[in-house]
Amino acid sequence: MKNIQNIGLSLFLIGLSVFTALIFLGKYEVTSEVFESVISDKGIKSDLFINDMNQDVVGKPFTNPFTLSSEITTAIENANIKHRKNELWDKVIWDKPHSFSYQIVKASGTGLIKQNKWLFWWLTFGLGIIGALLYMTPKVITLGPPGIKNNGIWFDASTNRGWIGWFAFIFLVGFYLLLYFRPDYIVNWTYIVDPISKNLSGNLASQWFLYGFMYCTVMTVMAVRMYIKYRHNNYQILRTTSVLFFQIVFAFLIPEILVRFEKPWYDFKNAFPLDYDFFFSWNLDELITSGGLGLFILIWGIVLTLVIVPVMVYFFGKRWYCSWVCGCGGLAETLGDPYRQLSDKSLIAWKFERWIVHGVLVFVLVMTGFTLYTYFSGSPSVLGIKTQTVQDIYGFLIGAIFAGVIGTGFYPIFGNRVWCRFGCPLAAYLGLVQRFKSRFRITTNGGQCISCGNCSTYCEMGIDVRAYAQKGENIVRSSCVGCGICSAVCPRGVLKLENGPEKGRINPTDILLGNDVDLMDLVNQK
Amino acid sequence: MEEHIVIIGNGISGVTAARHIRKLSDKKITIISAETDYFFSRTALMYVYMGHMKFEHTQPYENWFWEKNRIHLKKGFVKTVDTQSKTLHFQKGDTLQYDKLIIATGSKPNKFGWPGQDLKGVMGMYHKQDLDLLETYAPNNTVCKRAVIVGGGLIGIELAEMLHSRDIPVTFLVRESSFWDIVLPREESTMINREILKNGIDLRLSTNLKEIISDENGQVKSIIIEETGEEIACDVVGLTAGVSPNIDFIKDSEIETGRGVKVNRFLETNIPDVYAIGDCAEQHKGIDQRRPIEAVWYTGRMMGETLAQTICGNRIPYKPGHWFNSAKFFDIEYQTYGWVWAEPKSHETRFYWEHTDGNKGIHLSYNNTTGEFIGINTFGIRMRHDFFDAVLTEKRSINYVLEHLADANFDPEFYKLYEKNIVAKFNLENNTNVQLKKKSWKRIFSA
């Protein structure tokens, strides 16, 4: 068993190494045909840029994407500086430099990787998947009989913020930085998923297709781990299956297939305000101009947020979304499960959490107000603040840095629900409904709690579950995503996720069950 | 000047008392402990060794909690108590005056005078210090090639699980002919024997320890078994043959002691203003069918709650309600409500159901003639405390309990339910026609 696991780990690490090495490899040459087609596609009118490119880049070989990218982005910046100075606004290149560069670099790759896409798919994804499965499946035996087996989690360098955790942290943060801000560095990664993208949507893979494909792959493989670890727990098995299904079908396959039929890319489960650009004018315009389906999506998106979300939260708590449907939650519950114990449970962390998460909710609502005002009035600014600027700030700070780089990159350090806990405006919205109008609670089983602290330790949302359980109180908290792990790890069977009558779900108790105090006496004497 | 309440012991009893006294009053409170700086959950120590939690996680309150709630913590070992002058004398020579004294010093592991019982590598599994010792002598299976555990109770099986989690081979000596059979009926005891064996523990039933053999450094080398004379080489010996009250320091005082500190129903000792709660308190006569000393987490907590009332001017007796308890044996959770004795008493009838997988079972006890429900043991199925508490108070019948098993179930959602099988078996065995009712929130909440 140990040998199989070691072989698996080696294969995984080889796959990961090849994957990492890929960004440093490859040959690129921007041919004049490629360059001209990009220029005409984009309607570029900057003669300065075109001259620079023709002089320094076109027809010249490059052995890595970084120098090529740097040539292109420098050419864009130099040209823009001069055009802006001369106020030649129609010559300015408005595209983000690295996105523009991505298009050129993607089309310019030559050689090994581009010609052997499947081979490299197998050397990266293939080895990674096979290796990970070989590492994980023997746990059916090595973990021992079904049951909670958190043995050694706090001794393991990967799960106790040890060196492996920090390494994973750096790797993940690096990955997200590249994905969001330097797509032109990672065209080699997109090559290896080109064939899959072609089959699905008919297009070559963008960095977002790569991300979507990786997301599904990682979730699927880590879901296998969940199935093994929690094989005694039907709640965990069903929940994992559900998030996996919604990720693969709703977040990945359906949008790509829509694109194949020249419809807008849309994830039907992604509710505003998590889907913060739903009301952006480009999206509204695209939906309105794409006929019946577009109109359906528009209405669906609004109904989902205003009706379905609160009604479902009333009946089932926010878990129906956060732990059963949401993609962010899906990654957190599969890839992030090994890190769940790292979330901070201190009171101070809770104070930060409430300010930040509700702050983001206010931010997104204000931004959407601005956006809609601009959309209907045509005025580009509100109260002297440009809507576009607000959108850009939100997109950069919240959409990219918070949700991506911090939200996922920080898993190995801050626990697996960093985004959900501190950042997600939808979680904040669902939470308000859950706290004030819902049938959901975690029931505490009378006086059976021994304050051991497993529940609090393994709460990914940083809730001090024990603080309630040891008082015999039900747990009603806006942040609870209903993952059910507190109930699973409780060695005394004290916690149960329930959707019961709303009345009495919040039950502060003076005296715990088990001690026969005459409560009326006690109350009268107060 | 507010009264000074001094509590010796920062376990669940002492801390619960302190917290409730603070809730009810502004009295000056001091908690004394020689074990740890802050309160931790003793029952969770095992999870620290197993790597499920760090020691900090076993502390229910953050370190600022005590100062904020004006609960003064003092680290020190009380050597003697002078009840005349109301003074505590510490080992280090300092003293402390009290107005009211609460003794909540808990238990210490039993040692029965086995030769070698004080060697290096021999330990109980009760105190934080035991955990530290275990970490020293059994950090892994190279340093500790085998461990022997003596004593077949809850702490013993927990220690076995702990060592097993680090792949340390364990020999488990149990004096009785089946695990914990002085408490568990034969069926349940057999189930747990199986669970122990399934986890690869070398379980030796009806086996006693004769002596522990030392190596040249005064450390454990092996043990010898009484019955067979067999010598088992080992590096660690866990002594888990029960606990007794930790009250040596008051033996010379005027406070009356038996096995524990003798208290009346108000948890008062024979000396005014001195009280005892938790594991170290001994009732003159067991309450209801309880034993005079109950070394159980929950009873310690309840005594703390009760005594806080008395100390704050609302003098009430300790009146534990219906018996309940819980534990976990490797992967099998156990809960009990009411009384299910190891041997049925003459007025009792039993009904036992076990799942074919051998990991789940329930055992019901009820009155032969009236059919009144007496108690339940449940293994691998979680049950609702409130339900059984109400059923016992209302003196419901066995049929009522079976009809409402769906209300009683406390397993996580989507778990397989066995109520139908249980009721069907009962009907078959007793020639009855009990019909299972659908779960009803209304009933659950009226409980």
Side-chain angles (χ1 to χ4, degrees):
Chain A
M1 285 302 142
K2 203 80 202 148
N3 288 336
I4 298 176
Q5 287 190 306
N6 286 337
I7 292 168
L9 190 59
S10 311
L11 289 181
F12 175 80
L13 289 176
I14 293 169
L16 188 68
S17 309
V18 174
F19 186 76
T20 313
L22 277 189
I23 39 174
F24 300 99
L25 302 174
K27 289 202 175 76
Y28 305 86
E29 187 175 327
V30 185
T31 61
S32 51
E33 295 84 42
V34 164
F35 187 56
E36 271 156 30
S37 80
V38 172
I39 294 298
S40 70
D41 272 2
K42 290 257 164 197
I44 299 296
K45 298 197 183 96
S46 168
D47 40 354
L48 283 174
F49 172 70
I50 296 172
N51 285 344
D52 264 10
M53 287 290 288
N54 277 328
Q55 206 179 347
D56 297 332
V57 176
V58 175
K60 296 207 165 81
F62 289 86
T63 53
N64 65 63
F66 313 118
T67 42
L68 175 53
S69 160
S70 138
E71 293 285 351
I72 299 170
T73 51
T74 315
I76 295 171
E77 275 156 25
N78 289 341
N80 277 352
I81 289 170
K82 285 186 183 142
H83 294 321
R84 284 203 166 100
K85 203 170 154 196
N86 300 329
E87 301 191 356
L88 298 169
W89 301 117
D90 63 327
K91 290 195 174 182
V92 171
I93 298 167
W94 296 103
D95 290 71
K96 285 183 184 158
H98 287 279
S99 303
F100 190 19
S101 163
Y102 171 83
Q103 299 202 318
I104 299 173
V105 180
K106 170 95 187 184
S108 307
T110 58
L112 200 63
I113 300 159
K114 204 170 179 181
Q115 282 156 20
N116 298 288
K117 288 173 177 172
W118 275 119
L119 173 71
F120 279 93
W121 188 91
W122 278 108
L123 287 176
T124 54
F125 278 91
L127 286 183
I129 295 168
I130 294 167
L133 290 176
L134 283 178
Y135 179 73
M136 287 181 314
T137 33
K139 291 194 175 185
V140 176
I141 293 154
T142 59
L143 280 182
I148 286 297
K149 298 290 150 67
N150 286 327
N151 297 348
I153 281 185
W154 285 101
F155 308 138
D156 189 324
S158 59
T159 50
N160 73 352
R161 295 193 193 103
W163 69 272
I164 300 176
W166 283 101
F167 183 80
F169 162 76
I170 291 165
F171 190 88
L172 283 171
V173 167
F175 172 81
Y176 276 93
L177 288 173
L178 289 174
L179 181 74
Y180 281 103
F181 304 113
R182 293 291 181 271
D184 47 346
Y185 292 180
I186 57 170
V187 291
N188 279 339
W189 289 349
T190 66
Y191 289 148
I192 55 181
V193 288
D194 272 344
I196 299 163
S197 183
K198 270 276 185 197
N199 280 328
L200 274 173
S201 67
N203 300 324
L204 291 176
S206 67
Q207 84 266 33
W208 301 120
F209 181 87
L210 166 80
Y211 185 44
F213 181 78
M214 275 183 80
Y215 207 105
C216 294
T217 307
V218 167
M219 265 185 68
T220 309
V221 172
M222 290 302 279
V224 173
R225 177 189 163 281
M226 282 296 279
Y227 289 139
I228 294 169
K229 177 158 188 185
Y230 299 102
R231 61 193 187 276
H232 60 291
N233 189 315
N234 277 345
Y235 184 77
Q236 298 306 328
I237 288 171
L238 286 172
R239 188 174 68 90
T240 305
T241 308
S242 173
V243 282
L244 197 58
F245 168 81
F246 279 102
Q247 172 59 32
I248 293 175
V249 176
F250 279 74
F252 186 67
L253 292 179
I254 293 178
E256 293 298 330
I257 292 166
L258 284 175
V259 170
R260 175 158 218 126
F261 291 99
E262 300 186 346
K263 300 290 180 199
W265 190 102
Y266 185 69
D267 174 352
F268 284 90
K269 65 167 182 50
N270 199 10
F272 172 86
L274 176 59
D275 183 8
Y276 63 92
D277 54 13
F278 185 77
F279 292 105
F280 283 13
S281 56
W282 60 262
N283 190 47
L284 294 180
D285 288 341
E286 190 183 6
L287 293 180
I288 288 165
T289 52
S290 49
L293 183 73
L295 214 58
F296 171 75
I297 291 174
L298 185 62
I299 294 167
W300 167 257
I302 295 168
V303 171
L304 179 62
T305 300
L306 294 182
V307 181
I308 299 174
V309 161
V311 168
M312 291 288 279
V313 174
Y314 173 75
F315 284 105
F316 305 111
K318 73 195 252 191
R319 57 182 171 151
W320 79 270
Y321 195 82
C322 298
S323 291
W324 286 75
V325 170
C326 178
C328 305
L331 195 69
E333 296 296 344
T334 48
L335 174 67
D337 183 70
Y339 304 119
R340 57 185 322 122
Q341 65 282 356
L342 300 175
S343 64
D344 192 332
K345 278 82 182 180
S346 66
L347 190 69
I348 190 89
W350 185 27
K351 285 183 176 163
F352 272 111
E353 168 193 326
R354 283 177 293 169
W355 278 103
I356 300 171
V357 78
H358 294 115
V360 174
L361 178 62
V362 170
F363 189 178
V364 78
L365 292 177
V366 169
M367 174 183 74
T368 305
F370 278 37
T371 304
L372 290 175
Y373 178 80
T374 295
Y375 186 77
F376 289 111
S377 72
S379 159
S381 61
V382 187
L383 305 167
I385 304 166
K386 280 183 82 174
T387 300
Q388 178 71 45
T389 313
V390 179
Q391 290 178 342
D392 287 348
I393 292 174
Y394 189 94
F396 175 76
L397 277 185
I398 311 298
I401 299 286
F402 206 157
V405 181
I406 297 176
T408 309
F410 280 45
Y411 276 7
I413 304 302
F414 281 176
N416 58 330
R417 286 267 192 179
V418 179
W419 163 246
C420 315
R421 182 183 178 191
F422 292 99
C424 179
L426 180 59
Y429 166 40
L430 294 157
L432 290 171
V433 182
Q434 171 161 287
R435 172 66 183 75
F436 295 106
K437 197 71 198 164
S438 174
R439 295 164 62 85
F440 173 74
R441 90 294 311 265
I442 303 172
T443 310
T444 294
N445 199 9
Q448 287 271 18
C449 176
I450 53 166
S451 302
C452 74
N454 271 291
C455 52
S456 292
T457 305
Y458 287 89
C459 177
E460 57 191 349
M461 294 303 284
I463 301 170
D464 191 1
V465 184
R466 166 178 54 193
Y468 298 77
Q470 68 188 1
K471 284 186 270 185
E473 275 180 46
N474 293 343
I475 294 112
V476 177
R477 278 280 291 270
S478 55
S479 55
C480 176
V481 292
C483 69
I485 295 292
C486 57
S487 163
V489 298
C490 178
R492 295 292 184 271
V494 174
L495 303 164
K496 177 172 161 67
L497 278 56
E498 283 187 324
N499 312 307
E502 215 190 322
K503 189 169 164 274
R505 80 184 170 124
I506 300 174
N507 63 336
T509 45
D510 260 340
I511 293 287
L512 277 176
L513 201 61
N515 200 6
D516 270 0
V517 177
D518 188 333
L519 281 175
M520 283 324 289
D521 264 7
L522 197 66
V523 172
N524 290 337
Q525 285 177 12
K526 273 192 177 170
Chain B
M1 183 69 187
E2 283 288 350
E3 234 182 355
H4 187 196
I5 313 292
V6 174
I7 302 166
I8 311 178
N10 70 346
I12 180 65
S13 326
V15 164
T16 307
R19 278 183 44 245
H20 282 261
I21 292 170
R22 175 52 71 240
K23 269 193 198 177
L24 300 166
S25 77
D26 277 328
K27 293 182 198 301
K28 187 178 172 195
I29 304 172
T30 302
I31 300 182
I32 299 165
S33 169
E35 186 182 13
T36 53
D37 291 335
Y38 300 105
F39 168 54
F40 69 97
S41 173
R42 190 174 304 287
T43 44
L45 276 182
M46 63 181 293
Y47 299 111
V48 177
Y49 181 82
M50 291 169 78
H52 293 204
M53 295 197 277
K54 292 201 286 184
F55 182 70
E56 302 92 272
H57 296 125
T58 68
Q59 297 172 342
Y61 306 100
E62 287 183 64
N63 294 350
W64 49 258
F65 175 90
W66 308 99
E67 203 185 316
K68 179 168 178 270
N69 289 287
R70 290 169 294 119
I71 296 173
H72 186 70
L73 303 180
K74 177 174 168 66
K75 195 155 186 184
F77 190 86
V78 178
K79 204 174 72 183
T80 52
V81 183
D82 180 353
T83 51
Q84 294 287 325
S85 62
K86 294 194 169 182
T87 310
L88 300 180
H89 295 271
F90 289 89
Q91 201 161 45
K92 284 197 176 147
D94 50 336
T95 58
L96 186 70
Q97 295 288 131
Y98 65 83
D99 295 313
K100 288 198 167 115
L101 179 67
I102 302 175
I103 300 165
T105 46
S107 309
K108 59 181 197 310
N110 286 335
K111 289 183 175 182
F112 292 115
W114 291 293
Q117 66 183 13
D118 296 316
L119 290 171
K120 283 188 272 185
V122 181
M123 65 199 71
M125 187 56 232
Y126 189 86
H127 297 104
K128 168 74 165 64
Q129 285 73 19
D130 294 327
L131 185 75
D132 299 339
L133 281 177
L134 195 63
E135 202 58 74
T136 310
Y137 291 104
N140 54 49
N141 59 12
T142 353
V143 174
C144 177
K145 293 190 178 59
R146 177 167 292 276
V148 172
I149 297 170
V150 183
L154 292 179
I155 299 180
I157 193 170
E158 285 177 357
L159 184 55
E161 186 180 354
M162 289 160 70
L163 294 158
H164 181 59
S165 78
R166 296 203 188 177
D167 295 324
I168 294 170
V170 176
T171 296
F172 191 10
L173 310 187
V174 174
R175 186 181 60 181
E176 293 77 26
S177 62
S178 184
F179 175 79
W180 214 31
D181 66 0
I182 48 163
V183 174
L184 297 178
R186 184 179 44 80
E187 292 89 340
E188 286 96 312
S189 177
T190 310
M191 180 190 287
I192 303 307
N193 289 343
R194 272 199 312 266
E195 179 74 3
I196 295 169
L197 292 168
K198 192 166 97 185
N199 279 280
I201 308 295
D202 172 27
L203 175 65
R204 310 281 186 96
L205 297 169
S206 307
T207 306
N208 285 277
L209 174 68
K210 186 176 175 201
E211 66 170 306
I212 306 170
I213 312 273
S214 168
D215 70 1
E216 61 282 6
N217 304 316
Q219 197 175 328
V220 175
K221 188 178 78 178
S222 62
I223 60 109
I224 297 197
I225 287 173
E226 175 93 56
E227 286 74 9
T228 57
E230 183 188 355
E231 181 172 358
I232 299 175
C234 59
D235 302 294
V236 160
V237 175
L239 300 180
T240 63
V243 293
S244 38
N246 179 24
I247 54 163
D248 292 343
F249 71 106
I250 50 170
K251 288 270 153 90
D252 297 331
S253 75
E254 288 169 18
I255 304 165
E256 186 193 353
T257 58
R259 281 187 58 224
V261 184
K262 290 278 195 182
V263 292
N264 62 17
R265 287 293 294 268
F266 295 89
L267 304 165
E268 297 159 335
T269 64
N270 61 320
I271 308 290
D273 296 331
V274 178
Y275 307 84
I277 53 176
D279 286 16
C280 67
E282 179 180 353
Q283 289 287 328
H284 295 286
K285 188 172 168 294
I287 299 168
D288 182 20
Q289 309 194 55
R290 292 163 180 264
R291 280 184 280 186
I293 299 176
E294 286 186 325
V296 179
W297 172 269
Y298 310 107
T299 51
R301 194 203 70 213
M302 291 189 282
M303 288 187 220
E305 288 171 1
T306 309
L307 182 59
Q309 295 286 340
T310 299
I311 286 198
C312 295
N314 176 26
R315 187 164 179 268
I316 56 171
Y318 171 55
K319 224 165 77 181
H322 305 292
W323 170 253
F324 69 97
N325 201 3
S326 59
K328 195 175 180 191
F329 308 100
F330 286 94
D331 293 309
I332 300 181
E333 285 175 21
Y334 153 68
Q335 295 177 335
T336 185
Y337 301 104
W339 295 113
V340 183
W341 309 102
E343 290 294 330
K345 306 203 166 177
S346 60
H347 65 284
E348 282 179 56
T349 305
R350 293 286 174 85
F351 167 68
Y352 183 73
W353 170 88
E354 189 175 297
H355 189 267
T356 46
D357 71 7
N359 296 333
K360 299 173 202 74
I362 69 164
H363 212 150
L364 289 157
S365 172
Y366 57 99
N367 190 293
N368 302 336
T369 44
T370 62
E372 186 185 321
F373 170 76
I374 297 172
I376 182 169
N377 276 349
T378 157
F379 285 73
I381 300 176
R382 295 176 175 180
M383 297 281 187
R384 209 179 279 271
H385 189 175
D386 304 68
F387 174 86
F388 285 104
D389 202 61
V391 163
L392 287 161
T393 302
E394 290 157 13
K395 302 189 185 300
R396 299 287 189 172
S397 67
I398 179 72
N399 287 17
Y400 179 91
V401 169
L402 286 164
E403 276 168 15
H404 297 91
L405 269 186
D407 292 354
N409 184 285
F410 202 73
D411 271 339
E413 293 156 302
F414 307 112
Y415 267 45
K416 207 165 177 296
L417 300 174
Y418 303 99
E419 289 123 28
K420 275 189 191 148
N421 314 28
I422 294 168
V423 171
K425 184 168 188 244
F426 182 84
N427 282 335
L428 191 73
E429 282 180 8
N430 296 284
N431 221 351
T432 49
N433 187 25
V434 175
Q435 296 290 322
L436 193 64
K437 289 196 172 147
K438 267 188 72 179
K439 171 175 167 172
S440 148
W441 283 115
K442 212 175 146 213
R443 281 195 306 264
I444 291 171
F445 271 80
S446 66

